[in-house]
Amino acid sequence: MIEIKSFSHHYVAHVNGRFCILSTLTPDVIKEDTLRDDLRYYFMSPCEKYRSRRILPWKLGVQILKIIMITTQLILFGLNNQLVVSYQEENRMALKNLFLKDYSGMDEDDYSISVYTQQGVYDSLFYVLDQYSQLGNLSVGPIGYADDETGGVRPLVVCKRYYKRGTLEPSDDAYDIDAELEHDCFTCHPKSQTPCKTQNASFYSFEFYRLVDVEITFHLKGINLQSVRARELPDCYAFSVTITLDNQGHSGKMKIFMDIDSVSSACLEWKISGTAQKNTQYLLVFDVFVIMICIASAVLCTRSIVLAVRLLQRFTRFFQENYNRKLCDEDQSEFLNGWYLLIIVSDLLAIVGSILKMEIQAKSLTNYDVCSIFLGTSTLMVWFGVIRYLGYFEKYNVLILTMKAAFPKVLRFCCCAGMIYLGYTFCGWIVLGPYHEKFESLSRVAECLFSLLNGDDMFSTFAQLKDKNAVVWFFSRAYLYSFISLFIYMVLSLFIALITDAYDTIKNYQKNGFPLTDLHKFLRELSDFDSVEDGSQTGVGFNPLCCCQRYVSNRLE
């Protein structure tokens, strides 16, 4: 008995219990099958690749290990960074209470306190000088005077700026001002026997209508001892303090600013006893291991990108030679995996952040903020990349597919809505800026409008507007009501509708099957790649921005 069966483009005869090949595969068929197998393998999930060729998913294992290690590294660095930030913030608060007279503990807008009388200006100035001269007997923290290059104490410097010449008669509506500024300074040593406020008495004879500002500058040093409890070496800090009595407005209100710049460094001489010092070598080894894992991850992803480009070139060449067709942009984008680029960028950020962290632990570098940005951004991208692996499961890939489908429409919509938003921003700043604190600058206007867009802080925005100017008050009502009505009831609703429409489309595709492009038809061994006339095929969708002809596939059970 002879039985003939067809297997993958060739025939096999079963004769008396033995198989005989009737026709062999041609080189073109072998090339096509090999390309199809490579394409199928490329688009498989890690688990499918393992079941197909029994190759361990090393890249997935590296990513899982990298997520665990980078998150652990971030937590360890964050706990240490909290000690540094809390020390700096508490020192700023302590210095403001030490040197600012009648400081309430809360800043007024962007300045600390304000004075309204001449005596108040003198009291505030002399209070700073007195507190500085007796700092060692006042502060409860480990803080002292900074030394200069010769080993002596760096002096306090008081400078004033004032108009060169001027006369002012408000009652006669007359003034004569020379706008050229003159600068005058004197220094005061804290260990001097003569008090600072009596060393140069003529300096303090202010003509307030000519006075622009008074600036007091001094330097201090401190040690962050709270890190000892965490078995970390304490850092030494240099504080540059500038107190400015600002009279540029000449409005009768003199604002007092206090700017504190802190720079940390390794202490020159130190000795800790009575407690076990944390062995930083283990942390350094851990950071080196993180760098090695990130390098391995970046190399594997780069290798995958190179292989994808080569596979794209093979498929494009094959399609051009056999079907005389060019792949559309959508099919080409299937090979250019953006997740790999995201992982490579996160790896580079993690490597740089780990190097900075090692330098900080070795006390060679003290810039915690830059290191935090690198480590935080890399961790964000790493966890964001987890969505890639969840996308292999049909129940979990709705978010990715919806974002991908809605992104072009949302981007175009945001460009149009952004023009209206910018118009409201500029209008609110120029009209309401002088009368409302939330509209004083363009950045604050944008933040205020964004809060209103999300339904936050509405009543206070209406209530805080000063109603002394009736025209501005009525304009503000029309401005706010129109913005809220337009953006909440129309713009925001349309924005949500775009995303909902993309979600409904994806759900419909998951139910009835996704549209087939040339790549999908090739993987399913469909040979009909001819163009279809408009309206001649039922269930056909065509994207004018892409050369792909789309066919709605049947639902795969």
Side-chain angles (χ1 to χ4, degrees):
M1 178 180 180
I2 300 177
E3 182 182 359
I4 300 177
K5 294 183 179 181
S6 174
F7 291 95
S8 184
H9 303 285
H10 63 277
Y11 297 93
V12 177
H14 185 263
V15 183
N16 296 328
R18 302 179 62 183
F19 290 95
C20 299
I21 300 177
L22 300 182
S23 63
T24 58
L25 294 173
T26 63
D28 292 338
V29 174
I30 295 177
K31 180 179 179 181
E32 179 178 350
D33 288 344
T34 303
L35 176 60
R36 183 178 288 109
D37 291 340
D38 292 341
L39 288 172
R40 287 172 176 170
Y41 184 77
Y42 174 77
F43 290 108
M44 286 181 182
S45 67
C47 296
E48 292 172 341
K49 291 180 179 178
Y50 175 75
R51 288 194 295 264
S52 175
R53 300 185 182 180
R54 294 297 175 182
I55 299 178
L56 293 177
W58 296 107
K59 191 160 49 182
L60 175 60
V62 169
Q63 296 304 318
I64 295 176
L65 181 60
K66 186 181 71 172
I67 290 174
I68 298 174
M69 297 189 65
I70 286 183
T71 305
T72 303
Q73 181 190 49
L74 180 75
I75 294 174
L76 294 176
F77 180 77
L79 295 176
N80 188 29
N81 193 27
Q82 286 181 356
L83 297 178
V84 175
V85 175
S86 64
Y87 173 78
Q88 294 177 348
E89 292 298 326
E90 291 173 1
N91 259 276
R92 288 189 178 93
M93 183 61 63
L95 293 177
K96 287 183 178 181
N97 280 276
L98 281 176
F99 293 103
L100 298 181
K101 183 178 175 60
D102 299 328
Y103 181 66
S104 62
M106 296 292 294
D107 290 348
E108 303 178 15
D109 294 333
D110 56 342
Y111 53 93
S112 298
I113 59 175
S114 56
V115 292
Y116 301 90
T117 63
Q118 297 182 10
Q119 187 61 41
V121 174
Y122 289 120
D123 291 342
S124 299
L125 176 59
F126 294 150
Y127 183 82
V128 175
L129 302 180
D130 292 339
Q131 295 291 97
Y132 179 76
S133 61
Q134 50 184 341
L135 178 63
N137 300 325
L138 293 177
S139 176
V140 297
I143 195 168
Y145 303 113
D147 296 336
D148 56 15
E149 293 78 5
T150 61
V153 178
R154 298 186 66 173
L156 176 145
V157 180
V158 183
C159 297
K160 64 178 180 179
R161 292 191 308 163
Y162 51 91
Y163 294 124
K164 183 176 182 180
R165 177 187 55 81
T167 58
L168 197 65
E169 296 293 340
S171 58
D172 297 334
D173 296 335
Y175 63 89
D176 181 11
I177 293 292
D178 187 346
E180 182 180 353
L181 294 179
E182 291 189 344
H183 195 264
D184 192 7
C185 297
F186 88 95
T187 59
C188 174
H189 291 270
K191 297 183 179 180
S192 175
Q193 298 295 330
T194 306
C196 294
K197 60 183 179 182
T198 60
Q199 289 183 9
N200 191 354
S202 61
F203 180 85
Y204 305 109
S205 299
F206 298 147
E207 294 180 344
F208 285 92
Y209 69 92
R210 294 173 54 200
L211 181 67
V212 176
D213 58 40
V214 179
E215 188 174 275
I216 309 169
T217 305
F218 54 90
H219 301 272
L220 303 173
K221 282 194 172 183
I223 302 177
N224 182 12
L225 292 179
Q226 65 175 336
S227 59
V228 175
R229 293 183 285 106
R231 294 187 298 172
E232 294 280 354
L233 292 179
D235 291 327
C236 291
Y237 284 81
F239 298 98
S240 178
V241 184
T242 301
I243 300 176
T244 304
L245 287 73
D246 188 0
N247 192 42
Q248 296 185 41
H250 290 90
S251 60
K253 177 180 180 179
M254 181 175 287
K255 302 175 183 179
I256 301 180
F257 298 85
M258 186 172 187
D259 297 323
I260 304 173
D261 295 329
S262 59
V263 178
S264 60
S265 61
C267 297
L268 299 179
E269 298 180 6
W270 58 270
K271 180 180 180 182
I272 300 177
S273 59
T275 183
Q277 179 186 345
K278 183 185 291 185
N279 195 343
T280 59
Q281 294 179 353
Y282 296 111
L283 294 177
L284 294 177
V285 172
F286 180 78
D287 293 332
V288 171
F289 195 41
V290 171
I291 294 176
M292 295 174 60
I293 291 294
C294 292
I295 293 176
S297 173
V299 170
L300 290 175
C301 291
T302 304
R303 173 180 171 271
S304 298
I305 293 177
V306 173
L307 294 177
V309 172
R310 291 178 179 176
L311 189 60
L312 173 60
Q313 293 174 349
R314 287 176 54 195
F315 184 57
T316 303
R317 191 182 311 113
F318 172 83
F319 221 68
Q320 184 68 35
E321 293 175 354
N322 291 270
Y323 300 102
N324 195 24
R325 291 169 63 90
K326 181 181 179 182
L327 286 181
C328 70
D329 294 337
E330 184 173 353
D331 277 343
Q332 294 182 22
S333 65
E334 294 287 344
F335 294 87
L336 305 178
N337 197 328
W339 294 108
Y340 290 148
L341 298 178
L342 179 69
I343 293 174
I344 292 175
V345 173
S346 68
D347 291 334
L348 296 178
L349 294 177
I351 292 172
V352 176
S354 299
I355 294 176
L356 294 177
K357 181 175 179 290
M358 295 171 64
E359 293 291 331
I360 291 175
Q361 290 174 349
K363 303 303 179 183
S364 301
L365 188 68
T366 57
N367 199 333
Y368 284 82
D369 294 334
V370 176
C371 182
S372 300
I373 292 174
F374 278 100
L375 292 181
T377 307
S378 65
T379 307
L380 169 65
M381 292 184 175
V382 165
W383 280 99
F384 192 80
V386 176
I387 304 179
R388 170 179 180 263
Y389 297 99
L390 294 178
Y392 289 118
F393 303 95
E394 183 179 354
K395 300 296 183 180
Y396 296 92
N397 63 354
V398 178
L399 176 61
I400 302 175
L401 296 177
T402 303
M403 292 173 59
K404 184 178 180 180
F407 181 75
K409 295 180 181 179
V410 169
L411 185 61
R412 291 190 292 267
F413 179 82
C414 289
C415 290
C416 298
M419 301 300 103
I420 306 176
Y421 192 87
L422 286 176
Y424 271 95
T425 300
F426 287 110
C427 179
W429 171 66
I430 192 63
V431 178
L432 305 181
Y435 303 94
H436 202 298
E437 61 179 6
K438 294 183 180 180
F439 293 83
E440 291 180 350
S441 63
L442 288 174
S443 61
R444 298 192 68 175
V445 176
E447 294 166 359
C448 176
L449 294 181
F450 189 78
S451 298
L452 293 175
L453 175 61
N454 291 275
D456 183 32
D457 214 21
M458 284 191 181
F459 178 76
S460 61
T461 304
F462 279 93
Q464 291 179 9
L465 185 68
K466 303 172 184 178
D467 56 356
K468 295 182 179 179
N469 191 319
V471 176
V472 175
W473 187 88
F474 281 110
F475 177 86
S476 68
R477 265 47 190 173
Y479 172 86
L480 293 175
Y481 280 122
S482 63
F483 175 82
I484 294 173
S485 301
L486 177 61
F487 273 84
I488 292 183
Y489 302 135
M490 183 177 295
V491 175
L492 189 59
S493 299
L494 290 175
F495 182 83
I496 297 174
L498 290 176
I499 300 177
T500 304
D501 179 67
Y503 174 78
D504 292 338
T505 303
I506 296 301
K507 295 298 291 184
N508 183 56
Y509 284 162
Q510 288 183 335
K511 180 180 179 180
N512 301 319
F514 285 86
L516 292 180
T517 62
D518 291 341
L519 173 62
H520 301 143
K521 293 171 64 178
F522 179 79
L523 294 177
R524 296 191 180 195
E525 301 186 20
L526 301 177
S527 59
D528 183 16
F529 295 101
D530 295 332
S531 300
V532 181
E533 298 294 337
D534 293 341
S536 62
Q537 177 73 25
T538 307
V540 176
F542 183 73
N543 187 352
L545 298 180
C546 180
C547 59
C548 286
Q549 185 71 40
R550 289 170 163 265
Y551 297 82
V552 178
S553 64
N554 295 327
R555 184 182 178 184
L556 297 178
E557 299 296 339

